[in-house]
Amino acid sequence: MKKTKRANWERNTESVDDYLKAIYSIGGDERRRVGGSELAVRLEVAPASVTNMLQKLASDPKSLVDYKRGEGVKLSGAGRRRALEIVRHHRLVETFLFQVLDYPMDELHDEAERLEHFISESFEERIATKLGNPTADPHGHCIPALDGTMPPAHGVTCRCGL
């Protein structure tokens, strides 16, 4: 039996999630290609690190991104679903921290950044139910639905500049 060499990186890590969320945030709903330099600035990493990660992500058989050197990157369907899941986690956690735990506005983002990667789907569902399935976070950003769709206010009355 032939052993397969395991890659030294994993698909579902904080770092991968941060890249997917950044690509979604910069590329927006129009799903435009995002340049490596834009990602480097957003993620505060070296451009070479961005190129390395995008090549790894693109080489995966179930790729989360469509990367073309010199043209940039955009999310695949699976990548977009994962990015929206992380955005949903982040915004639900911010809302929970604000409404239930009385966190001040200026602490919400950083705390949610730390927690968004680690909540289970069961915990996500319980937070959403406890909060009455909110459609916007305390900053006025839309919260994606469980199926990845945005509420009707998205792009109309929201503040979704991510």
Side-chain angles (χ1 to χ4, degrees), residues 11 16-17 19-21 23-24 62-66 74-86:
R11 262 173 76 107
V16 170
D17 286 348
Y19 272 82
L20 297 176
K21 193 168 78 166
I23 295 165
Y24 175 76
K62 297 177 185 171
S63 184
L64 298 170
V65 300
D66 173 17
K74 64 180 182 175
L75 296 171
S76 67
R80 181 174 169 76
R81 284 188 296 279
R82 179 65 185 160
L84 285 167
E85 179 181 358
I86 295 301

Side-chain angles (χ1 to χ4, degrees), residues 23-98:
I23 295 165
Y24 175 76
S25 176
I26 297 167
D29 287 329
E30 67 274 5
R31 303 174 192 192
R32 75 169 177 85
R33 286 196 176 276
V34 175
S37 59
E38 290 176 282
L39 283 173
V41 169
R42 171 63 65 99
L43 297 169
E44 299 177 345
V45 297
S49 296
V50 170
T51 300
N52 187 36
M53 176 62 90
L54 294 179
Q55 288 172 341
K56 287 177 182 177
L57 286 171
S59 70
D60 190 294
K62 297 177 185 171
S63 184
L64 298 170
V65 300
D66 173 17
Y67 173 63
K68 294 181 180 169
R69 192 176 185 100
E71 294 181 31
V73 63
K74 64 180 182 175
L75 296 171
S76 67
R80 181 174 169 76
R81 284 188 296 279
R82 179 65 185 160
L84 285 167
E85 179 181 358
I86 295 301
V87 168
R88 177 176 167 79
H89 287 182
H90 181 95
R91 293 177 181 172
L92 281 172
V93 167
E94 282 188 333
T95 306
F96 182 80
L97 293 172
F98 185 73

